[in-house]
């Protein structure tokens, strides 16, 4: 239109999935200035044609329309049920000066729009199932008796009698869950690539959350005489006793050095 114009028209999501809510947004301007009087806006979506609709033109592909009376320039129109067909759709946004309604492809009253804009978008695939549970479970650091932490992949030196404090982090979404951490210092053997020499367990609980939330926690492994002095010890932690399989951090190899039993009177 010469007087009215549409500006900043966009739709979300940019690539909708089958049956996913679809929203069209934008602004109506008069002489380049936001128009604040009542105005009627329609979003008209035409489905891609199926083969029988191409053969019988009188049928044509389906068209769906949502509209709203707008006061204040900005408009937002939603198709709450989305679209049940994949392919390239045509989107037309039309602005009318008075009350306007659509019955199938018929406009009532049959007056032309004062301005309009057209584009296309793609509907592809189904909405993936919502991801819930744990993600990004990892070892953040570890320390001697809760002292200065060593970042993951760094080497920590320990004596018999010390505690190896392992700090872990993860994200969680969903219902409240109780489980256990199982932390282990391991050594590679020919019969077992992750032979656990020392381990520890600790119970934990995370609250329910509708969105992803980050958590950090720690677990201590007591260094006993069961482990020999050496440098080729690794570290890992897993989450147990939760719905589904156990959840593992990555294996950190050669990150723990055991010095032995401290001399009498030596500070640890």
């Amino acid at each position: 239109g010469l007087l009215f114009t549409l500006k900043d028209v966009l739709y979300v999501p940019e690539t909708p999935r089958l049956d996913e809510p679809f929203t069209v947004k934008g602004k109506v301007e008069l002489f380049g200035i936001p128009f604040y009087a009542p105005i009627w806006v329609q979003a008209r979506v035409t489905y891609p044609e199926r083969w029988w609709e191409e053969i019988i033109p009188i049928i044509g592909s389906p068209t769906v329309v949502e509209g709203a009376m707008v006061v204040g320039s900005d408009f937002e129109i939603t198709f709450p049920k989305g679209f049940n067909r994949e392919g390239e759709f045509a989107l037309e946004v039309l602005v009318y000066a008075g009350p306007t309604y659509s019955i199938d492809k018929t406009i009532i009253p049959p007056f032309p729009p004062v301005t309009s804009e057209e584009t296309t978008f793609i509907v592809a695939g189904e909405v993936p199932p919502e991801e819930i549970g744990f993600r990004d479970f990892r070892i953040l650091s570890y320390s001697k008796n809760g002292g200065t932490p060593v970042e993951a992949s760094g080497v920590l030196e320990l004596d018999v009698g010390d505690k190896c404090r392992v700090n872990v982090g993860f994200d969680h979404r969903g219902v409240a869950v109780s489980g256990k951490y199982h932390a282990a210092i391991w050594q590679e053997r020919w019969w077992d690539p992750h032979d656990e020499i020392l381990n520890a367990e600790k119970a934990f609980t995370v609250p329910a959350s509708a969105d992803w939330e980050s958590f950090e926690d720690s677990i201590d492994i007591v260094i006993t005489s069961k482990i020999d002095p050496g440098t080729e010890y690794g570290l890992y932690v897993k989450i147990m006793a939760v719905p589904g399989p156990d959840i593992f951090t990555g294996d950190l190899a050669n990150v723990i050095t055991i010095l032995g039993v401290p001399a009498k009177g030596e500070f640890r």
Side-chain angles (χ1 to χ4, degrees):
L2 298 176
L3 305 180
F4 287 92
T5 55
L6 283 162
K7 187 177 180 181
D8 300 333
V9 176
L10 57 86
Y11 52 85
V12 290
E14 291 186 1
T15 305
R17 305 282 189 160
L18 288 170
D19 303 316
E20 183 177 20
F22 180 79
T23 299
V24 182
K25 303 178 182 180
K27 297 180 180 180
V28 179
E29 293 187 346
L30 177 63
F31 297 117
I33 301 172
F35 184 71
Y36 292 104
I39 198 83
W40 281 258
V41 182
Q42 286 190 354
R44 183 180 303 171
V45 173
T46 302
Y47 278 61
E49 289 185 334
R50 297 278 174 85
W51 64 268
W52 63 85
E53 294 165 344
E54 295 178 4
I55 294 175
I56 311 175
I58 194 172
I59 296 178
S61 57
T63 296
V64 290
V65 179
E66 294 284 350
M69 185 192 76
V70 178
V71 178
S73 176
D74 295 346
F75 66 86
E76 181 173 312
I77 298 171
T78 298
F79 294 79
K81 296 183 179 180
F83 313 106
N84 59 4
R85 183 181 296 187
E86 293 185 86
E88 185 177 69
F89 287 66
L91 168 64
E92 189 175 12
V93 180
L94 307 105
V95 179
Y96 295 91
T100 306
Y101 307 94
S102 292
I103 300 177
D104 194 13
K105 298 181 181 181
T106 302
I107 304 298
I108 301 174
F111 297 132
V114 295
T115 188
S116 64
E117 188 170 314
E118 298 181 15
T119 188
T120 60
F121 63 92
I122 303 292
V123 174
E126 298 181 352
V127 177
E130 184 179 35
E131 185 182 2
I132 59 174
F134 295 87
R135 72 177 185 187
D136 197 20
F137 183 44
R138 63 206 183 278
I139 294 175
L140 301 172
S141 62
Y142 28 89
S143 64
K144 177 177 179 176
N145 301 320
T148 303
V150 174
E151 292 187 0
S153 76
V155 176
L156 177 66
E157 295 183 344
L158 297 166
D159 293 310
V160 172
D162 287 333
K163 291 181 180 179
C164 176
R165 175 159 296 176
V166 187
N167 300 305
V168 296
F170 58 86
D171 299 332
H172 175 264
R173 181 171 73 174
V175 299
V177 175
S178 295
K180 288 183 180 180
Y181 302 120
H182 177 96
I185 295 175
W186 54 270
Q187 189 174 37
E188 184 176 357
R189 312 277 196 177
W190 65 267
W191 66 87
D192 186 348
H194 299 95
D195 183 28
E196 293 189 10
I197 310 301
L198 299 173
N199 57 51
E201 292 186 356
K202 175 184 173 181
F204 73 94
T205 300
V206 290
S209 175
D211 297 313
W212 288 108
E213 290 192 11
S214 297
F215 295 88
E216 294 185 9
D217 206 346
S218 65
I219 179 172
D220 292 340
I221 304 173
V222 178
I223 308 303
T224 70
S225 58
K226 184 178 178 181
I227 193 168
D228 296 325
T231 61
E232 298 179 350
Y233 293 106
L235 191 63
Y236 80 86
V237 185
K238 64 180 177 179
I239 291 176
M240 307 166 53
V242 295
D246 293 347
I247 303 164
F248 290 80
T249 64
D251 294 325
L252 299 180
N254 304 322
V255 296
I256 300 296
T257 293
I258 303 299
L259 300 177
V261 179
K264 187 175 181 180
E266 182 180 342
F267 290 102
R268 291 189 281 111

